[in-house]
Amino acid sequence: MRRAHGRAPLVAEGLFRAAAFACAGFVLVVMAGLFVVLLYRSRLSIDRFGWGFLWSAAWDPVRDNFGAASSIFGTVASTVIAMVIAVPLSLVIALFLVEVAPPRLARPVSYGIELLAGIPSIIYGMWGLFVLAPLMATNVQPAMQKVFGKLPLFAGPPMGIGILTAGLVLALMVLPFITAVVRDVFALVPPVMKEAGYGLGATTWEVTRKVTVGYGMKGIVGGVFLGLGRAIGETMAVTFVIGNDHRIAASLFASGNSIASTLANEFTEASEPVYLSALVELGLILFVVTLVIQVLAQLWLTRLARQAGSTS
Amino acid sequence: MRRRPAWPRKAVDAAVKVASALAAALGLGFLAWILFVVLRHGAAALNWTFLTSLPSAPGGSGGGLGNAILGTALMTLLACVFGVPIGLLAGVYLAEYSRGTRFATTVRFLANVMMGIPSIIIGLFVYAVMVLPSGHFSGWAGGVALALLVLPVVARTTEDMLAMVPNALRESALALGSPHWRATLRILFRASRAGLLTGVLLAVARVSGETAPLLFTALNSPYWPRSLSGPTANLTVTIFNYAMSPYPAWQQAAWGASFIIVVGVLALTVVSRTLTRERK
């Protein structure tokens, strides 16, 4: 069949295809660009401080002497606290949603937990700063000091803001992400496996501990990795409650800073080129770390999905 | 053989069940607590002036955040204008033109990774490529930073939604002589309309509450956004600045802004979820 337009339809198809290709390729360009641009903009700082930047605790804008250690310490400390709280809690909530609650209850509860993920970071910051931090200062932290006595971990004045409060807020923020993954993993366990356990007379908890968790362990690890990636790069909520102080203290009550909070606080004030470059290098470190975590998590989860697809 | 009594095991089981219910209640309790605090403090700050006028001077009372509301709306719109078409087309390429190829696998993988990159890093990137060369903060840069957050979300949902369209539909359109691009836009997009809309709404919901990518791009401004080529007022950075200020009137205004953000973001989330549910 010949059409009056001649080759026009082919041209349109070619154009559309080329445009779609360009848009897909744009994702690659941005990801490569992120790395190249951050690396380029941190060259001043890299030249000047070398690898020592990673473990130097200095942060002196007046003398142009910078190191990432305090920011890395705060990031790691608050993330560890968050994961220690959020992982077990997520597991138990997922257990409730899949095994314990009747479906009619599980659905709205699940929805509510997912809404926690929809609340913007800055709102967690407002709540953390004006509601949680005062509560920590007047009630929680003094009580902890009373119970644990003179441990250096709980030393210092209870100010409310600090590493511990940042960790708590972070825990709440990553909870819905881990819960969602674990819930899906629990729901994927073949009913036959569980029924075999119940047939032997096991209780719900025994089946969960010995069958479901064993079967879904890999998925749980993937979920934990996703949560970890979120926690490490979380910015605004942490900036509100961590205290923004360049120091490394043994106490959980002490104020500190994270990579993201340092960027949020100081970037627009940085006037010296070296200062700016040091901040960009902090960003580069954060980018590389989250990139590695994300890549591992994605590889892990896609491999799992493929395995699940081939067995079912 | 002696039988172990069953009751300790049953007691442990009951205890775990109760604990799991308590954990779920704890999670919901925090959700309710946060929402309650924001709605109560925020409602006290809201009135007509607050929604329509410029901010007061530092320490002064009265005034509003009309400029920030407008700025946030403009930059979110900009994020959609840039991010949605590119995301849609990228998704189309993955689902329709390169299924199963190594290129598609790589792009899909990197789009997933990109969704997990902290938004402050995206802000840093846009600062380096737009703000530094031009020499000033701008609403355009803010919009672009938000668009980069929208892009991977829309691309991934589009791909997933197109992959769910039955092949028979695709083939019948092609068999009637329709070119692939027209089949995609006219037939496949129509079939997966609700899913695509959900993806876009979720992306917009996520982006409209973002602060970190705007800190170094749009910055903030006490004036009306006359053009997007200068620092542009927005709600989230205003919350940050006001909350950290010592003035009670500004802190109150930060709660008002939080109220608007929470209601807006949650409304978008709930609407998009309802769309998904109806489709199922």
Side-chain angles (χ1 to χ4, degrees), chain A residues 68-308:
Chain A
S70 70
S71 302
I72 293 176
F73 170 80
T75 308
V76 172
S78 56
T79 304
V80 167
I81 296 172
M83 298 310 280
V84 165
I85 298 170
V87 171
L89 212 53
S90 305
L91 284 173
V92 181
I93 293 178
L95 170 68
F96 177 77
L97 294 177
V98 178
E99 305 288 349
V100 179
R104 206 186 297 169
L105 182 62
R107 205 163 300 136
V109 172
S110 189
Y111 192 74
I113 299 288
E114 280 171 35
L115 272 191
L116 272 176
I119 297 179
S121 172
I122 191 139
I123 303 300
Y124 281 98
M126 288 294 284
W127 173 79
L129 179 65
F130 290 109
V131 181
L132 184 63
L135 199 70
M136 295 289 289
T138 52
N139 298 320
V140 181
Q141 291 180 345
M144 287 173 90
Q145 283 180 329
K146 214 171 263 172
V147 173
F148 296 108
K150 299 237 178 296
L151 280 177
L153 215 50
F154 305 99
M159 293 178 299
I161 53 175
I163 301 273
L164 178 65
T165 310
L168 284 178
V169 175
L170 274 181
L172 195 55
M173 295 181 72
V174 297
L175 179 83
F177 291 97
I178 307 178
T179 305
V181 176
V182 177
R183 180 198 59 200
D184 293 348
V185 166
F186 279 4
L188 272 179
V189 177
V192 180
M193 308 268 294
K194 292 188 214 161
E195 282 156 13
Y198 289 124
L200 291 172
T203 60
T204 308
W205 167 238
E206 284 163 347
V207 168
T208 304
R209 191 163 58 95
K210 295 181 177 161
V211 180
T212 312
V213 169
Y215 192 91
M217 197 37 148
K218 289 179 176 170
I220 295 171
V221 171
V224 169
F225 261 81
L226 280 186
L228 190 65
R230 292 262 155 204
I232 281 185
E234 186 45 60
T235 309
M236 297 321 293
V238 174
T239 308
F240 271 72
V241 296
I242 204 167
N244 302 310
D245 198 353
H246 285 274
R247 65 179 182 142
I248 300 176
S251 171
L252 291 177
F253 296 169
S255 53
N257 63 333
S258 75
I259 294 180
S261 79
T262 305
L263 283 173
N265 260 313
E266 303 184 20
F267 200 81
T268 43
E269 294 166 9
S271 44
E272 296 299 310
V274 180
Y275 191 2
L276 202 64
S277 183
L279 286 168
V280 177
E281 193 179 349
L282 278 183
L284 180 67
I285 295 171
L286 181 61
F287 174 67
V288 171
V289 171
T290 43
L291 192 68
V292 169
I293 292 176
Q294 283 292 328
V295 165
L296 288 178
Q298 296 298 341
L299 283 178
W300 186 262
L301 287 173
T302 35
R303 213 187 55 183
L304 274 186
R306 205 171 301 143
Q307 280 172 1

Side-chain angles (χ1 to χ4, degrees), chain A residues 9-53:
Chain A
L10 274 180
V11 172
E13 176 66 21
L15 280 177
F16 183 75
R17 199 188 160 119
F21 173 75
C23 292
F26 187 63
V27 174
L28 302 181
V29 173
V30 170
M31 288 300 286
L34 269 166
F35 182 74
V36 172
V37 166
L38 293 184
L39 189 66
Y40 176 73
R41 288 289 171 197
S42 37
R43 69 194 188 285
L44 263 181
S45 163
I46 293 176
D47 284 350
R48 183 142 166 190
F49 306 113
W51 289 105
F53 185 76

Side-chain angles (χ1 to χ4, degrees), chain A residues 13 16 114 122 201 205-206, chain B residues 9 13 20 97 181 236 273:
Chain A
E13 176 66 21
F16 183 75
E114 280 171 35
I122 191 139
W205 167 238
E206 284 163 347
Chain B
R9 295 171 47 223
D13 187 53
S20 77
Y97 289 108
W181 68 274
T236 44
R273 285 307 196 68

Side-chain angles (χ1 to χ4, degrees), chain B residues 55-76:
Chain B
S56 60
S61 60
L65 294 177
N67 57 338
I69 296 172
L70 182 65
T72 291
L74 282 176
M75 281 188 287
T76 308

